[in-house]
Amino acid sequence: MILRIAYLVASLAIIIRCIRADPAPDITTLEEGYAYIVKLACRGCPFLYQDSSAGKDVPWESRNDENALLLNVSLPYDRPILEINHAPIWPVSKVLPRIHATQVLSDFSVTDLAKLIEYGQLEAGHETSSGGAIFGLSYHSSIHHAAGHEAMVIYFDVFEVWSGLPDRPLTVQLDGKDGEQKMVKIVVLKRPVLSALESRESGWEIVTVELVSREGEKFQQEMKFLEWDSFGQIGTPTHAASSFFSAFLEWLDSGVMALFVFIFALVGIFVVLCLFCIFGCDLCGDEYEKAQHGKKRKKSWPNNDLEHGKGKFRSAEELGLLGRGLGGQVVGVGKSD
Ligand SMILES: *[C@@H]1O[C@H](CO)[C@@H](O)[C@H](O)[C@H]1NC(C)=O
């Protein structure tokens, strides 16, 4: 009996070890139609690692080991946006997003992957024996409509990776000569509208995620990691405009906003006061204005009686304007007429 138990325990241990060592597949489905993890083999990339047994803050080193990049391909239920590692790649925006990916060894196991997912560290640096370096991706992408806009085929090809982790930053071209380097092909499909409550826009789901040969694809977009930042391609007018706008927003955000509001309030009060003065004075000067207006109209007749006008003008003096020291002005106005 004891022997049998010992045998059972031993075989269980072997089975568990086998499962643990099972390398993760190229495509792991987390949620059918919405969430996938792609393990994209990185041809020609050195494997970066940190020998943490030698203490903290040791430099990153590289060795030649087959490795792969992890891509989190997801499509939220409520929005038609396809994301790779949190970066929206469809629909295409003017500013192509920067995408980072974690590097792992090719035989990265299912268990390790499950752990990364559980701890939400898929796109964060993590130091395990199987890797954890973060790379910035330079990529091509293109999007093709199919079946009359009811389906989209999205190609995503990483052609270069960059890492600033080693002392000397590293840039590696992904080897495409022998057709070994694969790209990601994603097909998304418009879901049939099942209920009236569902908005039409949101009805998309991922049908397939696969790795295919990148040969023959003419890519529509290109994003070079070092030439782009969050405002777009450095040196282009779009970049200049959006970085200026963002700097302006930041400036407003940095407490100057309060001052700005204060100044605006002051200007507002000033304007209200001005308006009040203008309209207020308009009311005061109404009678005089009317008199002037009437005079002008009468003058426009060819057989104008100057004496009449004078009489009117005098009546203004009689109103007491002269007495208040405004006489000069009034006379002036009369003359200019
Ligand atoms: C993958 O990305 C989506 C959104 O971009 C996120 O909600 C999800 O948690 C990510 N999955 C993993 C396993 O990190």
Side-chain angles (χ1 to χ4, degrees):
M1 186 67 190
I2 290 171
L3 249 175
R4 271 184 81 175
I5 289 174
Y7 175 74
L8 236 152
V9 167
S11 47
L12 252 178
I14 288 168
I15 290 169
I16 287 169
R17 211 177 308 147
C18 281
I19 292 171
R20 286 183 74 92
D22 227 7
D26 288 345
I27 314 289
T28 304
T29 305
L30 296 184
E31 199 181 345
E32 196 80 48
Y34 300 98
Y36 299 81
I37 306 294
V38 177
K39 199 180 80 178
L40 178 70
C42 193
R43 305 288 175 199
C45 302
F47 178 68
L48 293 188
Y49 67 101
Q50 209 176 15
D51 188 4
S52 45
S53 65
K56 271 195 166 186
D57 296 332
V58 290
W60 285 80
E61 288 173 76
S62 68
R63 66 173 195 252
N64 289 326
D65 253 331
E66 294 216 337
N67 58 78
L69 299 168
L70 294 181
L71 303 177
N72 168 13
V73 176
S74 73
L75 183 74
Y77 299 110
D78 52 345
R79 286 165 294 148
I81 297 172
L82 186 80
E83 293 180 320
I84 290 187
N85 287 359
H86 292 292
I89 64 154
W90 169 75
V92 179
S93 73
K94 248 190 196 149
V95 177
L96 298 176
R98 290 187 122 197
I99 304 181
H100 295 86
T102 302
Q103 185 186 43
V104 293
L105 281 172
S106 282
D107 56 8
F108 191 68
S109 73
V110 174
T111 329
D112 285 339
L113 182 61
K115 251 187 237 163
L116 279 198
I117 293 166
E118 189 184 342
Y119 297 130
Q121 285 188 318
L122 207 67
E123 295 137 61
H126 54 92
E127 287 159 38
T128 65
S129 52
S130 13
I134 296 275
F135 282 86
L137 311 183
S138 295
Y139 59 89
H140 294 127
S141 69
S142 50
I143 288 155
H144 304 280
H145 297 268
H149 292 239
E150 295 294 303
M152 300 279 172
V153 182
I154 298 150
Y155 290 107
F156 180 77
D157 175 45
V158 181
F159 65 91
E160 195 180 87
V161 293
W162 177 89
S163 178
L165 288 172
D167 289 340
R168 244 190 306 144
L170 185 81
T171 303
V172 186
Q173 299 276 332
L174 268 57
D175 200 2
K177 276 169 247 140
D178 46 7
E180 259 195 1
Q181 180 61 51
K182 295 283 200 287
M183 65 173 173
V184 188
K185 179 186 175 186
I186 304 158
V187 180
V188 294
L189 192 72
K190 210 171 219 176
R191 228 177 20 223
V193 181
L194 295 176
S195 76
L197 291 174
E198 199 175 21
S199 91
R200 269 194 76 77
E201 276 305 312
S202 67
W204 289 87
E205 64 185 23
I206 298 170
V207 186
T208 53
V209 180
E210 55 185 333
L211 296 181
V212 296
S213 162
R214 44 151 77 142
E215 297 303 312
E217 178 60 24
K218 286 192 183 68
F219 294 102
Q220 297 155 352
Q221 285 87 33
E222 178 178 294
M223 196 277 193
K224 292 199 97 183
F225 187 77
L226 291 181
E227 290 176 13
W228 290 65
D229 61 15
S230 51
F231 305 119
Q233 191 167 16
I234 295 161
T236 59
T238 324
H239 179 269
S242 59
S243 58
F244 172 78
F245 186 65
S246 155
F248 181 69
L249 284 185
E250 217 167 84
W251 175 72
L252 286 189
D253 211 30
S254 65
V256 182
M257 189 63 191
L259 188 68
F260 205 68
V261 168
F262 177 69
I263 291 172
F264 240 104
L266 274 188
V267 170
I269 290 169
F270 183 71
V271 167
V272 167
L273 272 179
C274 283
L275 286 177
F276 181 76
C277 277
I278 290 164
F279 286 107
C281 289
D282 240 23
L283 288 176
C284 300
D286 211 20
E287 232 157 307
Y288 176 63
E289 205 90 279
K290 263 187 213 156
Q292 289 291 309
H293 194 66
K295 193 177 93 180
K296 270 185 203 157
R297 221 177 44 204
K298 285 210 171 99
K299 263 192 155 188
S300 69
W301 292 100
N303 299 329
N304 191 11
D305 188 3
L306 268 173
E307 285 306 308
H308 187 72
K310 262 187 181 170
K312 268 253 160 163
F313 177 59
R314 273 204 201 99
S315 70
E317 282 172 37
E318 282 157 20
L319 279 169
L321 285 169
L322 201 69
R324 284 185 205 160
L326 286 166
Q329 206 184 325
V330 173
V331 169
V333 170
K335 270 182 184 168
S336 74
D337 274 342

